[in-house]
Amino acid sequence: GDREASRVEGYARRGPGGSQAVFTQPEPKVMPLPADVLFPTQHTRRVLAAAAAAPMILPVQVFDGFTENGAQLVNAAISQIQPRVPAPKAAFPPFAGRPSWIIQLAFFGGGDAAEPESEIGMRLYDNGISEWLDMDFGDFRIRADLVHLELAGEPECRKN
């Protein structure tokens, strides 16, 4: 309806005393996170490692910061490796000949819910880049296709 429903701001950190989410909006609060929680990049790496082994379901606790509810169970359904293509799209040579998988992520907010709160489907390449996303939030659905890709160069390391 052309207005922001809610705003969640803050950060998460992992330290010697455990992991926690620190929220600054909508109201300040600190929430402990499970010891085995993964953050989004760690989750992507775990999914890719599992994908290289075999098709499977990978359930893990993930904190992505989208809500104030803390970590949530994310089931990743990983397909068999997809046929390699010479170049999926001419504009994306980094995908040429790379392995990829169809991944379906189901996000469960808590309790014993049988149905996920949201789902995200994607074709994920071994370099961590998705060619497309299909995001289902229950009330609405978004399809996103990659139309521009600019890869960053290798970082320059300097000794001080």
Side-chain angles (χ1 to χ4, degrees), residues 21-57:
V22 179
F23 294 95
T24 57
Q25 289 285 331
E27 60 185 52
K29 77 175 173 178
V30 176
M31 175 184 295
L33 298 170
D36 61 346
V37 71
L38 298 179
F39 298 124
T41 300
Q42 294 169 309
H43 183 240
T44 300
R45 288 182 176 151
R46 179 82 53 92
V47 167
L48 285 169
M56 63 171 5
I57 304 285

PDB file of all heavy atoms in Angstrom, residues 21-57:
ATOM      1  N   ALA A  21      21.847 -10.895  18.723  1.00  0.00           N
ATOM      2  CA  ALA A  21      21.320  -9.880  17.817  1.00  0.00           C
ATOM      3  C   ALA A  21      21.054  -8.641  18.661  1.00  0.00           C
ATOM      4  O   ALA A  21      20.470  -8.733  19.743  1.00  0.00           O
ATOM      5  CB  ALA A  21      20.041 -10.360  17.155  1.00  0.00           C
ATOM      6  N   VAL A  22      21.507  -7.497  18.158  1.00  0.00           N
ATOM      7  CA  VAL A  22      21.296  -6.230  18.860  1.00  0.00           C
ATOM      8  C   VAL A  22      20.407  -5.376  17.956  1.00  0.00           C
ATOM      9  O   VAL A  22      20.821  -4.964  16.879  1.00  0.00           O
ATOM     10  CB  VAL A  22      22.643  -5.516  19.139  1.00  0.00           C
ATOM     11  CG1 VAL A  22      22.405  -4.193  19.841  1.00  0.00           C
ATOM     12  CG2 VAL A  22      23.570  -6.421  19.944  1.00  0.00           C
ATOM     13  N   PHE A  23      19.184  -5.146  18.385  1.00  0.00           N
ATOM     14  CA  PHE A  23      18.219  -4.372  17.611  1.00  0.00           C
ATOM     15  C   PHE A  23      18.203  -2.929  18.101  1.00  0.00           C
ATOM     16  O   PHE A  23      18.220  -2.671  19.298  1.00  0.00           O
ATOM     17  CB  PHE A  23      16.815  -4.966  17.734  1.00  0.00           C
ATOM     18  CG  PHE A  23      16.683  -6.328  17.125  1.00  0.00           C
ATOM     19  CD1 PHE A  23      16.817  -7.474  17.902  1.00  0.00           C
ATOM     20  CD2 PHE A  23      16.448  -6.470  15.768  1.00  0.00           C
ATOM     21  CE1 PHE A  23      16.706  -8.730  17.340  1.00  0.00           C
ATOM     22  CE2 PHE A  23      16.339  -7.726  15.192  1.00  0.00           C
ATOM     23  CZ  PHE A  23      16.471  -8.862  15.985  1.00  0.00           C
ATOM     24  N   THR A  24      18.159  -1.990  17.149  1.00  0.00           N
ATOM     25  CA  THR A  24      18.034  -0.573  17.484  1.00  0.00           C
ATOM     26  C   THR A  24      16.665  -0.032  17.069  1.00  0.00           C
ATOM     27  O   THR A  24      16.227   0.989  17.577  1.00  0.00           O
ATOM     28  CB  THR A  24      19.144   0.246  16.806  1.00  0.00           C
ATOM     29  OG1 THR A  24      19.092   0.030  15.388  1.00  0.00           O
ATOM     30  CG2 THR A  24      20.516  -0.163  17.329  1.00  0.00           C
ATOM     31  N   GLN A  25      15.999  -0.692  16.129  1.00  0.00           N
ATOM     32  CA  GLN A  25      14.648  -0.336  15.661  1.00  0.00           C
ATOM     33  C   GLN A  25      13.827  -1.611  15.534  1.00  0.00           C
ATOM     34  O   GLN A  25      14.388  -2.620  15.173  1.00  0.00           O
ATOM     35  CB  GLN A  25      14.707   0.339  14.284  1.00  0.00           C
ATOM     36  CG  GLN A  25      15.261   1.727  14.256  1.00  0.00           C
ATOM     37  CD  GLN A  25      14.285   2.737  14.801  1.00  0.00           C
ATOM     38  OE1 GLN A  25      13.076   2.566  14.713  1.00  0.00           O
ATOM     39  NE2 GLN A  25      14.796   3.793  15.386  1.00  0.00           N
ATOM     40  N   PRO A  26      12.574  -1.667  15.779  1.00  0.00           N
ATOM     41  CA  PRO A  26      11.690  -0.578  16.189  1.00  0.00           C
ATOM     42  C   PRO A  26      11.901  -0.155  17.639  1.00  0.00           C
ATOM     43  O   PRO A  26      11.523   0.945  18.010  1.00  0.00           O
ATOM     44  CB  PRO A  26      10.296  -1.149  15.981  1.00  0.00           C
ATOM     45  CG  PRO A  26      10.452  -2.616  16.047  1.00  0.00           C
ATOM     46  CD  PRO A  26      11.855  -2.909  15.581  1.00  0.00           C
ATOM     47  N   GLU A  27      12.514  -1.023  18.462  1.00  0.00           N
ATOM     48  CA  GLU A  27      12.871  -0.609  19.812  1.00  0.00           C
ATOM     49  C   GLU A  27      14.160  -1.318  20.206  1.00  0.00           C
ATOM     50  O   GLU A  27      14.425  -2.430  19.752  1.00  0.00           O
ATOM     51  CB  GLU A  27      11.753  -0.916  20.806  1.00  0.00           C
ATOM     52  CG  GLU A  27      11.410  -2.386  20.894  1.00  0.00           C
ATOM     53  CD  GLU A  27      10.210  -2.650  21.795  1.00  0.00           C
ATOM     54  OE1 GLU A  27       9.178  -1.999  21.581  1.00  0.00           O
ATOM     55  OE2 GLU A  27      10.336  -3.497  22.692  1.00  0.00           O
ATOM     56  N   PRO A  28      14.981  -0.689  21.022  1.00  0.00           N
ATOM     57  CA  PRO A  28      16.251  -1.308  21.408  1.00  0.00           C
ATOM     58  C   PRO A  28      16.030  -2.597  22.209  1.00  0.00           C
ATOM     59  O   PRO A  28      15.201  -2.630  23.123  1.00  0.00           O
ATOM     60  CB  PRO A  28      16.923  -0.250  22.280  1.00  0.00           C
ATOM     61  CG  PRO A  28      16.228   1.028  21.974  1.00  0.00           C
ATOM     62  CD  PRO A  28      14.833   0.658  21.565  1.00  0.00           C
ATOM     63  N   LYS A  29      16.764  -3.658  21.827  1.00  0.00           N
ATOM     64  CA  LYS A  29      16.755  -4.893  22.606  1.00  0.00           C
ATOM     65  C   LYS A  29      17.903  -5.779  22.143  1.00  0.00           C
ATOM     66  O   LYS A  29      18.379  -5.672  21.017  1.00  0.00           O
ATOM     67  CB  LYS A  29      15.417  -5.624  22.522  1.00  0.00           C
ATOM     68  CG  LYS A  29      15.136  -6.381  21.268  1.00  0.00           C
ATOM     69  CD  LYS A  29      13.810  -7.139  21.408  1.00  0.00           C
ATOM     70  CE  LYS A  29      13.413  -7.781  20.100  1.00  0.00           C
ATOM     71  NZ  LYS A  29      12.188  -8.532  20.204  1.00  0.00           N
ATOM     72  N   VAL A  30      18.334  -6.643  23.040  1.00  0.00           N
ATOM     73  CA  VAL A  30      19.404  -7.596  22.751  1.00  0.00           C
ATOM     74  C   VAL A  30      18.804  -8.983  22.885  1.00  0.00           C
ATOM     75  O   VAL A  30      18.111  -9.282  23.854  1.00  0.00           O
ATOM     76  CB  VAL A  30      20.590  -7.417  23.726  1.00  0.00           C
ATOM     77  CG1 VAL A  30      21.656  -8.470  23.475  1.00  0.00           C
ATOM     78  CG2 VAL A  30      21.163  -6.015  23.606  1.00  0.00           C
ATOM     79  N   MET A  31      19.066  -9.835  21.881  1.00  0.00           N
ATOM     80  CA  MET A  31      18.495 -11.179  21.871  1.00  0.00           C
ATOM     81  C   MET A  31      19.623 -12.198  21.694  1.00  0.00           C
ATOM     82  O   MET A  31      20.384 -12.116  20.732  1.00  0.00           O
ATOM     83  CB  MET A  31      17.503 -11.304  20.704  1.00  0.00           C
ATOM     84  CG  MET A  31      16.936 -12.688  20.521  1.00  0.00           C
ATOM     85  SD  MET A  31      15.879 -12.765  19.048  1.00  0.00           S
ATOM     86  CE  MET A  31      14.563 -11.672  19.526  1.00  0.00           C
ATOM     87  N   PRO A  32      19.740 -13.146  22.633  1.00  0.00           N
ATOM     88  CA  PRO A  32      20.737 -14.198  22.427  1.00  0.00           C
ATOM     89  C   PRO A  32      20.330 -15.079  21.248  1.00  0.00           C
ATOM     90  O   PRO A  32      19.144 -15.282  20.985  1.00  0.00           O
ATOM     91  CB  PRO A  32      20.732 -14.987  23.737  1.00  0.00           C
ATOM     92  CG  PRO A  32      19.463 -14.627  24.416  1.00  0.00           C
ATOM     93  CD  PRO A  32      18.988 -13.308  23.863  1.00  0.00           C
ATOM     94  N   LEU A  33      21.325 -15.578  20.516  1.00  0.00           N
ATOM     95  CA  LEU A  33      21.078 -16.467  19.382  1.00  0.00           C
ATOM     96  C   LEU A  33      21.620 -17.849  19.711  1.00  0.00           C
ATOM     97  O   LEU A  33      22.555 -17.975  20.514  1.00  0.00           O
ATOM     98  CB  LEU A  33      21.749 -15.916  18.121  1.00  0.00           C
ATOM     99  CG  LEU A  33      21.246 -14.558  17.639  1.00  0.00           C
ATOM    100  CD1 LEU A  33      22.145 -14.016  16.529  1.00  0.00           C
ATOM    101  CD2 LEU A  33      19.809 -14.657  17.169  1.00  0.00           C
ATOM    102  N   PRO A  34      21.061 -18.894  19.107  1.00  0.00           N
ATOM    103  CA  PRO A  34      21.559 -20.248  19.377  1.00  0.00           C
ATOM    104  C   PRO A  34      23.052 -20.371  19.065  1.00  0.00           C
ATOM    105  O   PRO A  34      23.568 -19.702  18.163  1.00  0.00           O
ATOM    106  CB  PRO A  34      20.743 -21.134  18.428  1.00  0.00           C
ATOM    107  CG  PRO A  34      19.556 -20.313  18.035  1.00  0.00           C
ATOM    108  CD  PRO A  34      19.970 -18.885  18.135  1.00  0.00           C
ATOM    109  N   ALA A  35      23.736 -21.225  19.803  1.00  0.00           N
ATOM    110  CA  ALA A  35      25.182 -21.405  19.622  1.00  0.00           C
ATOM    111  C   ALA A  35      25.528 -21.847  18.201  1.00  0.00           C
ATOM    112  O   ALA A  35      26.568 -21.477  17.669  1.00  0.00           O
ATOM    113  CB  ALA A  35      25.705 -22.414  20.638  1.00  0.00           C
ATOM    114  N   ASP A  36      24.646 -22.620  17.571  1.00  0.00           N
ATOM    115  CA  ASP A  36      24.930 -23.150  16.233  1.00  0.00           C
ATOM    116  C   ASP A  36      24.340 -22.296  15.107  1.00  0.00           C
ATOM    117  O   ASP A  36      24.283 -22.727  13.962  1.00  0.00           O
ATOM    118  CB  ASP A  36      24.416 -24.579  16.111  1.00  0.00           C
ATOM    119  CG  ASP A  36      22.908 -24.688  16.298  1.00  0.00           C
ATOM    120  OD1 ASP A  36      22.277 -23.712  16.788  1.00  0.00           O
ATOM    121  OD2 ASP A  36      22.342 -25.745  15.961  1.00  0.00           O
ATOM    122  N   VAL A  37      23.926 -21.071  15.426  1.00  0.00           N
ATOM    123  CA  VAL A  37      23.286 -20.222  14.421  1.00  0.00           C
ATOM    124  C   VAL A  37      24.263 -19.900  13.291  1.00  0.00           C
ATOM    125  O   VAL A  37      25.464 -19.739  13.517  1.00  0.00           O
ATOM    126  CB  VAL A  37      22.739 -18.920  15.053  1.00  0.00           C
ATOM    127  CG1 VAL A  37      23.857 -17.984  15.468  1.00  0.00           C
ATOM    128  CG2 VAL A  37      21.776 -18.220  14.111  1.00  0.00           C
ATOM    129  N   LEU A  38      23.735 -19.838  12.083  1.00  0.00           N
ATOM    130  CA  LEU A  38      24.509 -19.411  10.926  1.00  0.00           C
ATOM    131  C   LEU A  38      23.993 -18.059  10.474  1.00  0.00           C
ATOM    132  O   LEU A  38      22.801 -17.768  10.589  1.00  0.00           O
ATOM    133  CB  LEU A  38      24.364 -20.410   9.774  1.00  0.00           C
ATOM    134  CG  LEU A  38      24.864 -21.830  10.008  1.00  0.00           C
ATOM    135  CD1 LEU A  38      24.616 -22.680   8.769  1.00  0.00           C
ATOM    136  CD2 LEU A  38      26.328 -21.844  10.388  1.00  0.00           C
ATOM    137  N   PHE A  39      24.892 -17.236   9.932  1.00  0.00           N
ATOM    138  CA  PHE A  39      24.498 -15.994   9.302  1.00  0.00           C
ATOM    139  C   PHE A  39      24.374 -16.271   7.810  1.00  0.00           C
ATOM    140  O   PHE A  39      24.825 -17.318   7.322  1.00  0.00           O
ATOM    141  CB  PHE A  39      25.492 -14.884   9.631  1.00  0.00           C
ATOM    142  CG  PHE A  39      25.562 -14.581  11.110  1.00  0.00           C
ATOM    143  CD1 PHE A  39      26.752 -14.631  11.802  1.00  0.00           C
ATOM    144  CD2 PHE A  39      24.411 -14.260  11.812  1.00  0.00           C
ATOM    145  CE1 PHE A  39      26.810 -14.363  13.158  1.00  0.00           C
ATOM    146  CE2 PHE A  39      24.454 -13.994  13.172  1.00  0.00           C
ATOM    147  CZ  PHE A  39      25.654 -14.040  13.850  1.00  0.00           C
ATOM    148  N   PRO A  40      23.721 -15.416   7.024  1.00  0.00           N
ATOM    149  CA  PRO A  40      23.403 -15.735   5.624  1.00  0.00           C
ATOM    150  C   PRO A  40      24.575 -16.220   4.766  1.00  0.00           C
ATOM    151  O   PRO A  40      24.437 -17.195   4.032  1.00  0.00           O
ATOM    152  CB  PRO A  40      22.805 -14.435   5.087  1.00  0.00           C
ATOM    153  CG  PRO A  40      22.134 -13.846   6.295  1.00  0.00           C
ATOM    154  CD  PRO A  40      23.088 -14.142   7.433  1.00  0.00           C
ATOM    155  N   THR A  41      25.730 -15.590   4.844  1.00  0.00           N
ATOM    156  CA  THR A  41      26.852 -16.039   4.014  1.00  0.00           C
ATOM    157  C   THR A  41      27.331 -17.419   4.449  1.00  0.00           C
ATOM    158  O   THR A  41      27.637 -18.278   3.615  1.00  0.00           O
ATOM    159  CB  THR A  41      28.019 -15.019   4.069  1.00  0.00           C
ATOM    160  OG1 THR A  41      27.532 -13.762   3.585  1.00  0.00           O
ATOM    161  CG2 THR A  41      29.190 -15.461   3.215  1.00  0.00           C
ATOM    162  N   GLN A  42      27.363 -17.657   5.756  1.00  0.00           N
ATOM    163  CA  GLN A  42      27.732 -18.985   6.248  1.00  0.00           C
ATOM    164  C   GLN A  42      26.733 -20.028   5.764  1.00  0.00           C
ATOM    165  O   GLN A  42      27.112 -21.143   5.405  1.00  0.00           O
ATOM    166  CB  GLN A  42      27.759 -18.998   7.779  1.00  0.00           C
ATOM    167  CG  GLN A  42      28.837 -18.138   8.379  1.00  0.00           C
ATOM    168  CD  GLN A  42      28.639 -17.998   9.872  1.00  0.00           C
ATOM    169  OE1 GLN A  42      27.555 -17.653  10.350  1.00  0.00           O
ATOM    170  NE2 GLN A  42      29.697 -18.284  10.614  1.00  0.00           N
ATOM    171  N   HIS A  43      25.456 -19.666   5.759  1.00  0.00           N
ATOM    172  CA  HIS A  43      24.423 -20.592   5.303  1.00  0.00           C
ATOM    173  C   HIS A  43      24.622 -20.929   3.828  1.00  0.00           C
ATOM    174  O   HIS A  43      24.538 -22.095   3.427  1.00  0.00           O
ATOM    175  CB  HIS A  43      23.033 -20.008   5.552  1.00  0.00           C
ATOM    176  CG  HIS A  43      21.938 -20.934   5.173  1.00  0.00           C
ATOM    177  ND1 HIS A  43      20.996 -20.610   4.218  1.00  0.00           N
ATOM    178  CD2 HIS A  43      21.641 -22.190   5.586  1.00  0.00           C
ATOM    179  CE1 HIS A  43      20.156 -21.626   4.091  1.00  0.00           C
ATOM    180  NE2 HIS A  43      20.531 -22.593   4.901  1.00  0.00           N
ATOM    181  N   THR A  44      24.892 -19.927   3.002  1.00  0.00           N
ATOM    182  CA  THR A  44      25.129 -20.181   1.575  1.00  0.00           C
ATOM    183  C   THR A  44      26.320 -21.116   1.392  1.00  0.00           C
ATOM    184  O   THR A  44      26.263 -22.055   0.592  1.00  0.00           O
ATOM    185  CB  THR A  44      25.361 -18.861   0.812  1.00  0.00           C
ATOM    186  OG1 THR A  44      24.194 -18.039   0.955  1.00  0.00           O
ATOM    187  CG2 THR A  44      25.633 -19.110  -0.665  1.00  0.00           C
ATOM    188  N   ARG A  45      27.387 -20.886   2.130  1.00  0.00           N
ATOM    189  CA  ARG A  45      28.556 -21.775   2.040  1.00  0.00           C
ATOM    190  C   ARG A  45      28.205 -23.199   2.455  1.00  0.00           C
ATOM    191  O   ARG A  45      28.647 -24.167   1.844  1.00  0.00           O
ATOM    192  CB  ARG A  45      29.700 -21.232   2.893  1.00  0.00           C
ATOM    193  CG  ARG A  45      30.340 -20.009   2.299  1.00  0.00           C
ATOM    194  CD  ARG A  45      31.485 -19.521   3.136  1.00  0.00           C
ATOM    195  NE  ARG A  45      32.128 -18.401   2.489  1.00  0.00           N
ATOM    196  CZ  ARG A  45      32.741 -17.437   3.129  1.00  0.00           C
ATOM    197  NH1 ARG A  45      32.816 -17.450   4.443  1.00  0.00           N
ATOM    198  NH2 ARG A  45      33.306 -16.454   2.465  1.00  0.00           N
ATOM    199  N   ARG A  46      27.406 -23.342   3.503  1.00  0.00           N
ATOM    200  CA  ARG A  46      27.005 -24.681   3.974  1.00  0.00           C
ATOM    201  C   ARG A  46      26.139 -25.372   2.928  1.00  0.00           C
ATOM    202  O   ARG A  46      26.283 -26.556   2.665  1.00  0.00           O
ATOM    203  CB  ARG A  46      26.271 -24.541   5.300  1.00  0.00           C
ATOM    204  CG  ARG A  46      25.775 -25.818   5.918  1.00  0.00           C
ATOM    205  CD  ARG A  46      26.798 -26.606   6.713  1.00  0.00           C
ATOM    206  NE  ARG A  46      27.493 -25.890   7.740  1.00  0.00           N
ATOM    207  CZ  ARG A  46      27.118 -25.804   9.020  1.00  0.00           C
ATOM    208  NH1 ARG A  46      26.011 -26.378   9.428  1.00  0.00           N
ATOM    209  NH2 ARG A  46      27.844 -25.133   9.879  1.00  0.00           N
ATOM    210  N   VAL A  47      25.215 -24.627   2.308  1.00  0.00           N
ATOM    211  CA  VAL A  47      24.362 -25.190   1.262  1.00  0.00           C
ATOM    212  C   VAL A  47      25.211 -25.651   0.080  1.00  0.00           C
ATOM    213  O   VAL A  47      25.025 -26.749  -0.447  1.00  0.00           O
ATOM    214  CB  VAL A  47      23.281 -24.184   0.808  1.00  0.00           C
ATOM    215  CG1 VAL A  47      22.605 -24.626  -0.478  1.00  0.00           C
ATOM    216  CG2 VAL A  47      22.246 -23.987   1.913  1.00  0.00           C
ATOM    217  N   LEU A  48      26.169 -24.841  -0.341  1.00  0.00           N
ATOM    218  CA  LEU A  48      27.028 -25.215  -1.467  1.00  0.00           C
ATOM    219  C   LEU A  48      27.877 -26.437  -1.140  1.00  0.00           C
ATOM    220  O   LEU A  48      28.066 -27.312  -1.985  1.00  0.00           O
ATOM    221  CB  LEU A  48      27.913 -24.042  -1.885  1.00  0.00           C
ATOM    222  CG  LEU A  48      27.196 -22.942  -2.647  1.00  0.00           C
ATOM    223  CD1 LEU A  48      28.079 -21.711  -2.789  1.00  0.00           C
ATOM    224  CD2 LEU A  48      26.715 -23.431  -4.001  1.00  0.00           C
ATOM    225  N   ALA A  49      28.373 -26.533   0.076  1.00  0.00           N
ATOM    226  CA  ALA A  49      29.156 -27.710   0.471  1.00  0.00           C
ATOM    227  C   ALA A  49      28.288 -28.961   0.449  1.00  0.00           C
ATOM    228  O   ALA A  49      28.708 -30.021  -0.020  1.00  0.00           O
ATOM    229  CB  ALA A  49      29.758 -27.503   1.859  1.00  0.00           C
ATOM    230  N   ALA A  50      27.046 -28.839   0.924  1.00  0.00           N
ATOM    231  CA  ALA A  50      26.129 -29.980   0.914  1.00  0.00           C
ATOM    232  C   ALA A  50      25.723 -30.336  -0.506  1.00  0.00           C
ATOM    233  O   ALA A  50      25.593 -31.517  -0.851  1.00  0.00           O
ATOM    234  CB  ALA A  50      24.891 -29.663   1.759  1.00  0.00           C
ATOM    235  N   ALA A  51      25.535 -29.334  -1.356  1.00  0.00           N
ATOM    236  CA  ALA A  51      25.118 -29.572  -2.741  1.00  0.00           C
ATOM    237  C   ALA A  51      26.159 -30.382  -3.497  1.00  0.00           C
ATOM    238  O   ALA A  51      25.817 -31.222  -4.326  1.00  0.00           O
ATOM    239  CB  ALA A  51      24.871 -28.245  -3.457  1.00  0.00           C
ATOM    240  N   ALA A  52      27.420 -30.144  -3.210  1.00  0.00           N
ATOM    241  CA  ALA A  52      28.481 -30.868  -3.899  1.00  0.00           C
ATOM    242  C   ALA A  52      28.453 -32.348  -3.551  1.00  0.00           C
ATOM    243  O   ALA A  52      28.935 -33.178  -4.321  1.00  0.00           O
ATOM    244  CB  ALA A  52      29.838 -30.268  -3.540  1.00  0.00           C
ATOM    245  N   ALA A  53      27.874 -32.709  -2.411  1.00  0.00           N
ATOM    246  CA  ALA A  53      27.838 -34.107  -1.972  1.00  0.00           C
ATOM    247  C   ALA A  53      26.703 -34.887  -2.633  1.00  0.00           C
ATOM    248  O   ALA A  53      26.941 -35.926  -3.226  1.00  0.00           O
ATOM    249  CB  ALA A  53      27.718 -34.173  -0.457  1.00  0.00           C
ATOM    250  N   ALA A  54      25.484 -34.410  -2.533  1.00  0.00           N
ATOM    251  CA  ALA A  54      24.333 -35.137  -3.081  1.00  0.00           C
ATOM    252  C   ALA A  54      23.066 -34.341  -2.824  1.00  0.00           C
ATOM    253  O   ALA A  54      23.048 -33.469  -1.962  1.00  0.00           O
ATOM    254  CB  ALA A  54      24.222 -36.510  -2.416  1.00  0.00           C
ATOM    255  N   PRO A  55      21.977 -34.658  -3.532  1.00  0.00           N
ATOM    256  CA  PRO A  55      20.701 -34.006  -3.215  1.00  0.00           C
ATOM    257  C   PRO A  55      20.317 -34.310  -1.767  1.00  0.00           C
ATOM    258  O   PRO A  55      20.577 -35.409  -1.279  1.00  0.00           O
ATOM    259  CB  PRO A  55      19.705 -34.653  -4.176  1.00  0.00           C
ATOM    260  CG  PRO A  55      20.524 -35.324  -5.210  1.00  0.00           C
ATOM    261  CD  PRO A  55      21.852 -35.624  -4.599  1.00  0.00           C
ATOM    262  N   MET A  56      19.756 -33.342  -1.100  1.00  0.00           N
ATOM    263  CA  MET A  56      19.409 -33.542   0.297  1.00  0.00           C
ATOM    264  C   MET A  56      18.527 -32.420   0.828  1.00  0.00           C
ATOM    265  O   MET A  56      18.306 -31.429   0.149  1.00  0.00           O
ATOM    266  CB  MET A  56      20.674 -33.612   1.144  1.00  0.00           C
ATOM    267  CG  MET A  56      21.449 -32.309   1.094  1.00  0.00           C
ATOM    268  SD  MET A  56      22.861 -32.097   2.229  1.00  0.00           S
ATOM    269  CE  MET A  56      23.086 -33.569   3.061  1.00  0.00           C
ATOM    270  N   ILE A  57      18.091 -32.609   2.057  1.00  0.00           N
ATOM    271  CA  ILE A  57      17.430 -31.558   2.831  1.00  0.00           C
ATOM    272  C   ILE A  57      18.413 -31.176   3.935  1.00  0.00           C
ATOM    273  O   ILE A  57      18.909 -32.034   4.660  1.00  0.00           O
ATOM    274  CB  ILE A  57      16.111 -32.045   3.467  1.00  0.00           C
ATOM    275  CG1 ILE A  57      15.156 -32.589   2.428  1.00  0.00           C
ATOM    276  CG2 ILE A  57      15.488 -30.937   4.319  1.00  0.00           C
ATOM    277  CD1 ILE A  57      14.467 -31.563   1.590  1.00  0.00           C
TER     278      ILE A  57
END
